[in-house]
Structures are given as structure tokens and as C-alpha cells.
């Protein structure tokens, strides 16, 4: 490359790299990151210093914020007025800073993210605690540098006594790095500073040697203390931040349960996580209610006032409070994460600072400030003592000095003669010439002597402080304890050592009873039980599922959303899904979803039985019955781990199918009912407990092409409900069925006629008041049990469900348990 004139060729890659690095460092040092010493960014430091220069002390009247912003822009901060005013506003907000540095008057915004009034309307002055950041700034305690146009000087750092970096915290985004330091309690931080001073050794340079452990600090500083209070869940993130400078803290809103005058429960939110917009939170909760993403919430109201936060979340009468609250924590910022990323400028360079190191850096800075202050005061004291020494000489030779001055031609001659005769400095000679006549009075002479003596003592004291790091540390300790006494406040944020529980999707689902139906064409559907209204027996029922003309409801069970659903195929295979994983339809008039979309079932397989299991690990057994009267008994735990492609539950003979599956105990009796109205009762113990792949045993002997339609577990105090295909049904006491040995023909259970048609369903009725009957055409009726009479085994029963057409028939029945009834009533 050839040079042309004064133009020097450069590589564009190097120029861009250097320019970007210069820009990045400018942002890091001059805008985005705080100084470890005073915890301030340049704009905040300039605002506080400008207010100090304008005399806006805590005792002075408030003055317009526009005046402050203009002062900052004109003298120190060559940027826009918007960022300056925004920074000023934040330092005045008691919900943004734990210890506000500015005392504002007027509208300075709200926790709802309402904007502040324009700067021409608001007024401000320094808060009392801000005085602690500016104390002794005129005493050469901190370095000054030229402002942007070299017209005046501005401080590079404030000589703060307040550990502002930790007490008020900060956030900032620079180029390639960020900082996030939560606020802490002033009293706790002061205790930590004093503890470090008392328990650390000095090195040869007079600085403290780090040695205080994290465990010792955690006994003094419990963790962050936010202006909006709330609760910290767990201490592991705090410990990590104290050790490394990085950590994640879970912050949770403070909530309470409350009942209103009508007896309805409400969730009351009284404290919010730090920097959370209350208005947007209420809007998000309202949206959850509207979209029904969280069940159990009826309304949300913001009743906050000047006394504090109060958000009222009204619950429905059937709401499960804990699950609603857990869902709120998951789906809203009522539980949020606050991150420690303790990056600050140390000697102009960004560094990650563990908690203890930031305290040591602050103490080191205060040592420098106190030494500089002592040097300034020492020089001032020596200068004054020097003047007083000259005055003492003059007073000791008063007549001669007066005579010398009287005989001098002018002031210059008098000054020179005083310097020569009494060996005085120019300053001493001038002080004698400026001395007032009243100073020659004996009382005034005594004051000069007293002042001189006190100054000598002060000089000795200041020299000893400057020469002794221990005395400097003692002074820091005294001022820190004094600071704590003046500005300490009770901790607002509660530290809960118990970590925030991460809830699974299942744990967030409320317990709710649902009706699960499966059509003949394998469409599966789940609807809330309370969507099915109670009717009288003999009614037509209401539509429970939309089906095609050639479809029919084949199976119907009632389950809790937290039950495990076991699907048994006719070929003897079993599949499992959690009930809450089924899509719940609020409308009854839908078809549901194909079961192949729910379980990995082969297209040629058909479901023959569904079973709802509350606890798959329970000490219970499963009893299976087939179409040809075969039975099998197995432990429920054998079905705890079912693969997605299912497991073999029973090996069947040719032309046989699995018909019914029930939960039982070994002490129970089994009742098997056939299509032609035969029934047999025998003990479960007569069936040996077998493995999944073992063979079956005979349960009932069938004749005349009869087949099994149902098998259930007998309860002596209960009844057995039998329903025919034409809708006739009755209740028969279980005690009417004698106990026989397994494998017999049994006794008559229902008198079959042409009018009733063969039996379609049978169910043991216990601890229930209602039942649900389903037809082939998807009609569903919910009937009170009291509507159905108790009759003997030899009868045909009464009309329970009136069929809707010649091709319709009853296909299923399900009884509501007490738990289902309670949920429905509520």
C-alpha cells in the first residue's frame, strides 16, 4: 500500500475492532456499570452532585426537577434530558430503591407502571440518606476530573459512607456484559462491615486480608431485602451468589386466604415480587380467568390503596385453593426469579465480585476517604496553627509590634520589618497586620491560646490516624455503627429456607370428577361430571356424545382427574394413561377423539373394559372376567409400569374376549352376571393369584350360548343394579345372592322377557345416590338411585331409560361415588 499525503492507510478489520472496543469500554465505564465504591453510575452520581451544589439539602425547600435536569445537562451530562429525568425519578421511588436517595414531591410514577408527571411539574430535594453519600466531598476526599467541555470539575466518585452498591442494588446492560445486584438491608450490611473489620488481619499495605467465610456472612446478612417485600424461597441461590457473585433467587408474592361475607374463599395478594408491574399482573390473571386456563378462579379485583397492596382473586365454590395458587405461581409472575450477577467497576475495570469481596472493596475505599479527609484537615489545622503562632508572638511583644507598625511608612514596610525582626512568614506577618484591636484584650488572648492548644491536639490526633491503619478502621467502624443507628429499618423480605417447589403438570391439575365415555367406533371423550344434570327415571336422557348413525356409546366410567385410566382390549392387552391427560370437553355435544390418538393401540384391537385407579401402587388386586366365563386374579402393582405399546394382562382361548375388569381385595366376593340373566357369587380367594401371562380359571358355567356381560365385587350392604337393553332395571340386595363355589351355573339374577330384552349392564351400587346410564345412540341419563325400586332376583324391574328408537339400546351404566356426588353438589 502506498501512502498519499497525510492520509494513512489502515486495515478496515483493525479499525472496526478498535472502534468497537472503544465504544464498548465507553458504555461499560461511562454509562452502564456501577462503581464498586459508591454503587452509582455516572448519571446518578452527577444528579446527586448537582443537587448538592444547588443546595438542595433535606432541610431546604423542594425545587423543580426541570431545574435539576438542566443543571446536570448543562454542566455534567452531555446526553438527552429523558434519561436524566428517568434516573432522577427512579432514585425517588420507594418501590424501586430500598433506601430512596431523593425526596420527591408530586407524581413520580407508581408500581402500576404509570409514568411520572413531566419534570416541569415535579419537585425534589436530597433525601437524608443521600447526605451520607456526599459528606466531606469538599475536603479533597475523592478525585475530581474535568467535565465534558473542561469548564468545571466533577467528582469521579462520591465519598459515600453508605454501602450503596449492596444496600440499593443496581441493574445494567453494557456491551457484552450485564449487572444485577439486588438490594439488601442496611442494618445487616453494616453489621457485616463491622464484623469484617473485627475479624480480619491487616497486610503490609494496611489493607484487610480477606478471610471471612460465607457462613459467617450469611448469619449477618440473611439475603436480599426488596422494597416491595415478598418472600425468598430457598437459600441455595443466596449462598451461591455470596460465594461466586452469581446466583438465582426465587421470589414469591405474599398471599393469604380469606373468606368474604358470603362465605366464598378469596386469595389475597399483599406483597409483590420486586419490579413487578401490578397492573399487568392483574390483567394477566384476568386473561387466565377469561381463557379458563386455570380452573377455580371467578374474578380478580385490585383493591390497593395508600395503605398497601391488595389484589383479591375470587374463587369459585368448587375451587381447590392450593391448586389454584400453585397454578397462579406457574402461569403468572407471582413467583419469579431474581438473578445475582454482581459485576461492578473496580479501578475502572469490570469485575465479578462475590459478596464478601464487595464489602472489602468498600472498606478499602473508605480507608482512602478517611485518610484523604484527615490529610485535608491536618493541612488546614497546621495552616491555622501557623497563623496562631504568629499572633502569639505579636501578643507577647505587643508594645514593640505596635510601635514598629506606627513607625513604618506603609503596610509593605511594616510587613517586611515584622518578618525580619520576629522571623515570621509572610502569612503570619499579614495576619498580625490584619489583627483587630479587640484581639489584644486579655479574654481574646486567652481564646487564641485555647484554640492553639486544641489545634496541637488535633494535629497529633490526625497524624496518628494517617499513620495508623487500625485507627482508620476504627473510624470506619464508628461511622458504620452510627449510620446503622440513624437509618436502620426492619427487614421487609422474608427468607424462607424451604426451596420453592417445582410442581409437575399433574400436581397443578385440580381434583375433578369426569365422565369418560368410549364409543363403539373408539371415540374417547371426557366431560366434567357437573355438566350432566340430574333427571327422573324413565326420561329420555340428554346427548352425552355426538356419534355417527352407525356408532354407539360402548363404555362409560366416572373417574377423578388424578386417576390412572387402564384400557383393556378384548384380546387381553392393557394400556394406561393419566386421566388429566385426556382433553376435557365442556360441551357434551362433541364426538371426542379417536382412541388411537390417546393410546398406542393396534387398529385391529378393541377396548372391552376401562378402569379408573386412584393409586396404582395400592395393596389391591385386579380381577378379570371373559366373555366365556373365565376369570383371573393378579396384584394391581403388576400394572404399575405399562409401556406405551401396552402389556399382556390375560391369555385368552380362541373366540374368547375380555369383558370386565375390577379392583378387589382377597377377602372380597365376585359376582358374575350373564346376558341371559344368570348370576354367580364366589370368593376371590378361590382364584389363585397369577402372573400376567398365566392361564385363566373358570368363573361361571354358561349354557344355551350365554355370555358374560359383567363382573363386579360384592358388598353385602349394597345392591346390584341390573339393566336390560330395552331400559328396564332394578336393584337387588347383594345378600340375595348365595355364595357358591367357583365354576357353577349360579342363580337367576333377572327375568328376561321379549319386552325387556337381554341384560346389557350390571353394577354393584354402594355409597352412592345417583347413576348414569348410556345408550348406543349416545344418550345419557343421570338418575337418582331412589327412583329405582329394590326387587327380588326373579323380577324384571321398571323402566329406567326410555329408548329413543327401535335401533337404540342401553349399553353401559356407571354409579356416582360419594366423592363424585359432593363435587357435583358443589
Amino acid at each position: 500500500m502506498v501512502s498519499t499525503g497525510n492520509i494513512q492507510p489502515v486495515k478496515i478489520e483493525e479499525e472496526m475492532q478498535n472502534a468497537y472496543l472503544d465504544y464498548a469500554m465507553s458504555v461499560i465505564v461511562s454509562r452502564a456499570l456501577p462503581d464498586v465504591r459508591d454503587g452509582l453510575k455516572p448519571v446518578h452520581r452527577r444528579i446527586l452532585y448537582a443537587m448538592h451544589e444547588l443546595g438542595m439539602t433535606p432541610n431546604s425547600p423542594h425545587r423543580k426537577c426541570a431545574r435539576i435536569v438542566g443543571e446536570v445537562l448543562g454542566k455534567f451530562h452531555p446526553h438527552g434530558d429523558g434519561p436524566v429525568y428517568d434516573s432522577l425519578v427512579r432514585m425517588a421511588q420507594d418501590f424501586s430503591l430500598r433506601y430512596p436517595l431523593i425526596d420527591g414531591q408530586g407524581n413520580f410514577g407508581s408500581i402500576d407502571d404509570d409514568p411520572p408527571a413531566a419534570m416541569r411539574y415535579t419537585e425534589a430535594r436530597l433525601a437524608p440518606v443521600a447526605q451520607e453519600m456526599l459528606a466531606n466531598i469538599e475536603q479533597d476526599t475523592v478525585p475530581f476530573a474535568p467535565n465534558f467541555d473542561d469548564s468545571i470539575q466533577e467528582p469521579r466518585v462520591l465519598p459515600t459512607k453508605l454501602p450503596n452498591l449492596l444496600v440499593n442494588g443496581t441493574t445494567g446492560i453494557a456491551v457484552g456484559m450485564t449487572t444485577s445486584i439486588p438490594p439488601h438491608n442496611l442494618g445487616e450490611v453494616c453489621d457485616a462491615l463491622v464484623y469484617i473489620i473485627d475479624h480480619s488481619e491487616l497486610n503490609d499495605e494496611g489493607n484487610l486480608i480477606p478471610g471471612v467465610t460465607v457462613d459467617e456472612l450469611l448469619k449477618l446478612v440473611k439475603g436480599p431485602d426488596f422494597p416491595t417485600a415478598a418472600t425468598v424461597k430457598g437459600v441455595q441461590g443466596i449462598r451461591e451468589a455470596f460465594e461466586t457473585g452469581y446466583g438465582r433467587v426465587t421470589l414469591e408474592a405474599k398471599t393469604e386466604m380469606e373468606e368474604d361475607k358470603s362465605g366464598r374463599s378469596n386469595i389475597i395478594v399483599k406483597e409483590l415480587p420486586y419490579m413487578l408491574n401490578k397492573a399487568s399482573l392483574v390483567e394477566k390473571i384476568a386473561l387466565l380467568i377469561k381463557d379458563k386456563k386455570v380452573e377455580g378462579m371467578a374474578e380478580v379485583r385490585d383493591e390497593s390503596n395508600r395503605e398497601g397492596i391488595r389484589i383479591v382473586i375470587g374463587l369459585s365454590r368448587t375451587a381447590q385453593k392450593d391448586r389454584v395458587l400453585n397454578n397462579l405461581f406457574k402461569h403468572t409472575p407471582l413467583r419469579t426469579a431474581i438473578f445475582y450477577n454482581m459485576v461492578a467497576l473496580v479501578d475502572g475495570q469490570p469485575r465479578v465480585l462475590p459478596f464478601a469481596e464487595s464489602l472489602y472493596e468498600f472498606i478499602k475505599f473508605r480507608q482512602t476517604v478517611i485518610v484523604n479527609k484527615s490529610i485535608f484537615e491536618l493541612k488546614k489545622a497546621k495552616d491555622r496553627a501557623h497563623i496562631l503562632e504568629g499572633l502569639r508572638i505579636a501578643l507577647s511583644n505587643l508594645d514593640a509590634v505596635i510601635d514598629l507598625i506606627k513607625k513604618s511608612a506603609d503596610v509593605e514596610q511594616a510587613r517586611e520589618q515584622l518578618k525580619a525582626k520576629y522571623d515570621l512568614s509572610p502569612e503570619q506577618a499579614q495576619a498580625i497586620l490584619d489583627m483587630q484591636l479587640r484581639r489584644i484584650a486579655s479574654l481574646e488572648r486567652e481564646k487564641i491560646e485555647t484554640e492553639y492548644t486544641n489545634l496541637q491536639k488535633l494535629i497529633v490526633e490526625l497524624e496518628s490516624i494517617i499513620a495508623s491503619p487500625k485507627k482508620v478502621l476504627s473510624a470506619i467502624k464508628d461511622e458504620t455503627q452510627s449510620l446503622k443507628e440513624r437509618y436502620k429499618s426492619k427487614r421487609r423480605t422474608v427468607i424462607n429456607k424451604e426451596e420453592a417447589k417445582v410442581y409437575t403438570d399433574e400436581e397443578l391439575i385440580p381434583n375433578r370428577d369426569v365422565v369418560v365415555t368410549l364409543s363403539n367406533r373408539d371415540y374417547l371423550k371426557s366431560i366434567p361430571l357437573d355438566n350432566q344434570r340430574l333427571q327422573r327415571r324413565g326420561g329420555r336422557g340428554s346427548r352425552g356424545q355426538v356419534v355417527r348413525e352407525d356408532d354407539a356409546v360402548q363404555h362409560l366410567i366416572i373417574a377423578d382427574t388424578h386417576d390412572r385410566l387402564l384400557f383393556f382390549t378384548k384380546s387381553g392387552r392393557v394400556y394406561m394413561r393419566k386421566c388429566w391427560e385426556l382433553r376435557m370437553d365442556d360441551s357434551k355435544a362433541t364426538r371426542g377423539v379417536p382412541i388411537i390418538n390417546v393410546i398406542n393401540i393396534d387398529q385391529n384391537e378393541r377396548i372391552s373394559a376401562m378402569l379408573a385407579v386412584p393409586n396404582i401402587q395400592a395393596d389391591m388386586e385386579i380381577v378379570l372376567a371373559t366373555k366365556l366365563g373365565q376369570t383371573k386374579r393378579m396384584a394391581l402393582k403388576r400394572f404399575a409400569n405399562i409401556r406405551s405399546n401396552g402389556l399382556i394382562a390375560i391369555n385368552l382361548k380362541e373366540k374368547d374376549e375380555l369383558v370386565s375388569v375390577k379392583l378387589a381385595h382377597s377377602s372380597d366376593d365376585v359376582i358374575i352376571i350373564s346376558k341371559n340373566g344368570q348370576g354367580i357369587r364366589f370368593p376371590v380367594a378361590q382364584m389363585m393369584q397369577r402372573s400376567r401371562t398365566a392361564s385363566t380359571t373358570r368363573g361361571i358355567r354358561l349354557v344355551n350360548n350365554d355370555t358374560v356381560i359383567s363382573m363386579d365385587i360384592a358388598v353385602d350392604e349394597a345392591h346390584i343394579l341390573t339393566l336390560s337393553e330395552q331400559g328396564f332395571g332394578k336393584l337387588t340386595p347383594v345378600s340375595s345372592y348365595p355364595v357358591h363355589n367357583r365354576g357353577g351355573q349360579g342363580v337367576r339374577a333377572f327375568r328376561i322377557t321379549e319386552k325387556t330384552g337381554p341384560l346389557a349392564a350390571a353394577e354393584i351400587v354402594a355409597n352412592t345416590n345417583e347413576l348414569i346410564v348410556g345408550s348406543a345412540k349416545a344418550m345419557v341419563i343421570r338418575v337418582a338411585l331412589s327412583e329405582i325400586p329394590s326387587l327380588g332376583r326373579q323380577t324384571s324391574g321398571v323402566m329406567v331409560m326410555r329408548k329413543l328408537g327401535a335401533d337404540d339400546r342401553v349399553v353401559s351404566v356407571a354409579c356416582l361415588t360419594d366423592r363424585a356426588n359432593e363435587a357435583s353438589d358443589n
Side-chain angles (χ1 to χ4, degrees), residues 472-521:
V472 173
L473 290 172
S474 178
I476 296 173
K477 179 179 175 180
D478 292 341
E479 71 182 17
T480 301
Q481 290 173 330
S482 176
L483 185 74
K484 174 187 173 182
E485 290 301 317
R486 291 198 302 275
Y487 301 106
K488 69 179 179 180
S489 61
K490 291 183 179 180
R491 164 172 281 279
R492 298 181 185 176
T493 300
V494 176
I495 307 295
N496 191 332
K497 293 184 178 180
E498 181 181 350
E499 297 288 340
K501 183 178 179 181
V502 179
Y503 292 93
T504 63
D505 290 341
E506 183 174 2
E507 290 174 311
L508 296 173
I509 299 297
N511 289 89
R512 189 176 185 183
D513 285 284
V514 295
V515 179
V516 181
T517 59
L518 180 66
S519 76
N520 195 43
R521 295 181 64 85

Side-chain angles (χ1 to χ4, degrees), residues 221-478:
V221 184
K222 308 301 181 183
D225 188 22
F226 299 101
T228 53
T231 301
V232 170
K233 301 288 286 186
V235 296
Q236 184 59 36
I238 299 173
R239 172 177 287 277
E240 291 175 359
F242 278 34
E243 289 176 346
T244 66
Y246 298 103
R248 182 181 185 275
V249 175
T250 300
L251 193 60
E252 194 175 277
K254 180 182 178 181
T255 59
E256 294 179 357
M257 291 294 178
E258 183 181 279
E259 284 193 1
D260 57 23
K261 295 180 180 178
S262 64
R264 181 168 295 183
S265 296
N266 297 319
I267 296 175
I268 311 298
V269 180
K270 290 193 169 183
E271 297 172 359
L272 296 178
Y274 186 50
M275 301 302 292
L276 176 58
N277 184 330
K278 177 164 63 68
S280 66
L281 170 68
V282 173
E283 182 179 349
K284 187 170 184 64
I285 295 173
L287 196 61
L288 289 176
I289 296 173
K290 179 182 177 183
D291 296 341
K292 298 183 179 180
K293 289 186 177 180
V294 177
E295 293 185 25
M297 295 191 299
E299 62 174 343
V300 59
R301 306 187 303 274
D302 185 2
E303 298 181 356
S304 304
N305 52 33
R306 292 184 178 182
E307 295 179 1
I309 301 294
R310 181 180 169 84
I311 300 173
V312 181
I313 303 169
L315 304 183
S316 61
R317 295 191 182 278
T318 59
Q320 296 170 28
K321 304 171 188 175
D322 291 342
R323 294 192 185 276
V324 173
L325 188 58
N326 292 337
N327 271 293
L328 283 171
F329 285 146
K330 180 175 182 178
H331 296 292
T332 70
L334 284 176
R335 176 184 289 165
T336 188
I338 300 293
F339 292 91
Y340 274 91
N341 185 23
M342 301 183 69
V343 178
L345 297 175
V346 180
D347 298 328
Q349 299 296 319
R351 273 178 51 190
V352 179
L353 295 166
F355 199 87
E357 189 173 346
S358 63
L359 291 171
Y360 278 103
E361 287 292 337
F362 180 75
I363 293 173
K364 181 180 177 181
F365 168 64
R366 284 304 302 168
Q367 286 178 285
T368 302
V369 169
I370 288 177
V371 169
N372 289 344
K373 174 175 173 289
S374 299
I375 292 172
F376 177 87
E377 291 179 343
L378 177 62
K379 180 180 182 301
K380 184 178 178 182
K382 286 184 174 180
D383 289 344
R384 179 57 180 169
H386 180 66
I387 297 298
L388 291 177
E389 287 175 352
L391 295 179
R392 291 175 69 222
I393 292 173
L395 291 173
S396 299
N397 302 276
L398 184 59
D399 293 336
V401 167
I402 293 173
D403 187 60
L404 184 148
I405 294 173
K406 287 169 62 177
K407 293 180 179 180
S408 298
D410 53 26
V411 173
E412 185 62 33
Q413 183 183 17
R415 183 186 300 113
E416 292 300 323
Q417 288 182 356
L418 285 171
K419 287 166 56 179
K421 184 173 183 179
Y422 297 106
D423 193 21
L424 301 175
S425 68
E427 293 79 13
Q428 288 174 321
Q430 185 62 43
I432 292 171
L433 292 173
D434 294 339
M435 184 174 64
Q436 298 173 335
L437 287 176
R438 64 180 177 80
R439 302 302 299 270
I440 65 176
S442 58
L443 190 59
E444 289 295 322
R445 294 172 66 177
E446 185 178 344
K447 287 182 179 179
I448 291 174
E449 290 293 335
T450 301
E451 183 184 359
Y452 181 75
T453 302
N454 291 337
L455 279 174
Q456 293 302 314
K457 292 179 181 179
L458 177 61
I459 289 170
V460 172
E461 180 182 351
L462 292 172
E463 287 177 339
S464 67
I465 290 174
I466 294 170
S468 173
K470 288 186 177 180
K471 288 189 176 183
V472 173
L473 290 172
S474 178
I476 296 173
K477 179 179 175 180
D478 292 341

